[in-house]
Amino acid sequence: MNGEINLLTLLSLVIAIVAIVKLRSVLGRRTSEDEARIEKRRREAQLQKTAAATQSDKVVTLPRREREAESTDTAVSVAEVEERIKSFAGKDTALANGLTDILKLDPAFDPEHFVRGARQAYEMIVTAFAEGNRRLLRDLLSADVLDSFTRAISEREQRGHVIDQSFVGINKADMIEAEVSPKGIASITLRFVSQLISATRDKAGNIIDGDDTRIKDVTDIWTFSRDISSREARRNLNWKLVGTQAPN
């Protein structure tokens, strides 16, 4: 009887071990549905990262200092920036007054940070126009300026012309005007002096305008605008190009 009991016990033990092994193998194995689900999540995460990177590349937020809390500390911060505006504007009283008006509505505004961001925006816009990148331009230009730029791009494409351009750099970016409209729209005008190597080619690849071997000095006067009329409006930090003009 002891032998029979030991045999039954042994058989039970073997069966239990086999069952545990099978159970572990099933629990630890990825089915085709599991693989598909994991791959789907991986693709979704990658798309989210790509979309975030694309949005970051498209939108130019002209840098500014973080907004201070609305307290006595803010008043001190405003006073400091006003002093910097006087230094920044030099003897141009009209410019200083315009920057001060912007500061009164937007205490976080900093003219030096603005100019650095505007330089970045200028290069992006000039390059996007040459490449015919409408998507990028859409996020940097006002509706009127975008319409003008896209018409020029379309006409160029219809003729089969291509701009071969290299952006060398910006020599100067001087702020020349600043104002706030009665509706609280801030506008700042800058004069850019840049260097480009640019040539326009026809369908056959022949140069019909410009020179692909010579650096050319280019002067542009651009106006950027942003709504700062309310706290809600100021949450949108993006300035857009609202006007261009040739230098006198």
Side-chain angles (χ1 to χ4, degrees):
M1 183 175 292
N2 290 338
E4 292 178 358
I5 293 174
N6 290 338
L7 180 59
L8 290 173
T9 302
L10 180 61
L11 289 174
S12 298
L13 181 61
V14 170
I15 293 172
I17 293 174
V18 171
I20 292 172
V21 171
K22 288 185 176 181
L23 182 60
R24 291 183 61 185
S25 65
V26 171
L27 292 175
R29 184 185 304 132
R30 290 179 179 173
T31 65
S32 59
E33 292 181 356
D34 293 333
E35 293 289 351
R37 185 164 53 253
I38 292 172
E39 180 61 26
K40 180 180 179 182
R41 290 176 179 174
R42 184 182 298 114
R43 288 197 302 268
E44 289 175 350
Q46 184 61 39
L47 286 174
Q48 290 176 355
K49 290 181 180 179
T50 302
T54 302
Q55 183 67 18
S56 176
D57 290 341
K58 290 194 304 179
V59 179
V60 176
T61 301
L62 299 187
R64 64 178 199 166
R65 297 183 301 173
E66 293 297 324
R67 187 177 304 281
E68 302 286 344
E70 294 185 358
S71 63
T72 55
D73 291 339
T74 302
V76 174
S77 177
V78 170
E80 291 175 350
V81 176
E82 285 180 337
E83 187 62 32
R84 296 180 67 184
I85 285 176
K86 292 178 182 179
S87 175
F88 185 84
K91 296 181 179 180
D92 191 336
T93 304
L95 176 59
N97 290 340
L99 293 175
T100 301
D101 289 341
I102 294 176
L103 176 63
K104 289 177 181 178
L105 288 178
D106 185 4
F109 175 75
D110 186 308
E112 294 179 2
H113 289 187
F114 173 88
V115 171
R116 284 199 292 270
R119 291 169 67 98
Q120 179 189 6
Y122 177 84
E123 180 176 352
M124 292 178 68
I125 293 171
V126 169
T127 302
F129 176 74
E131 296 174 349
N133 189 339
R134 295 175 176 83
R135 178 177 296 182
L136 179 57
L137 293 173
R138 189 178 301 120
D139 293 291
L140 300 172
L141 312 181
S142 68
D144 291 341
V145 178
L146 176 63
D147 182 61
S148 176
F149 275 45
T150 52
R151 281 204 312 269
I153 292 173
S154 296
E155 292 173 0
R156 187 175 72 210
E157 291 174 343
Q158 290 173 1
R159 293 192 296 267
H161 295 171
V162 176
I163 296 180
D164 183 7
Q165 178 176 283
S166 296
F167 193 94
V168 179
I170 299 175
N171 291 339
K172 290 183 179 180
D174 298 326
M175 193 182 297
I176 58 177
E177 292 180 4
E179 65 176 2
V180 179
S181 74
K183 293 184 178 181
I185 306 300
S187 298
I188 299 179
T189 302
L190 302 96
R191 180 186 294 108
F192 295 96
V193 179
S194 63
Q195 290 187 322
L196 303 172
I197 300 175
S198 181
T200 301
R201 300 179 184 274
D202 61 15
K203 293 181 180 180
N206 300 314
I207 295 177
I208 58 176
D209 186 36
D211 188 338
D212 64 350
T213 63
R214 184 173 65 88
I215 297 177
K216 180 181 179 181
D217 292 329
V218 178
T219 300
D220 288 304
I221 298 177
W222 286 9
T223 300
F224 294 89
S225 183
R226 173 172 164 257
D227 186 354
I228 59 172
S229 60
S230 65
R231 179 178 299 180
E232 183 65 26
R234 290 192 293 272
R235 290 179 181 176
N236 183 355
L237 305 181
N238 299 318
W239 295 72
K240 288 194 174 186
L241 178 63
V242 297
T244 64
Q245 57 181 301
N248 295 330

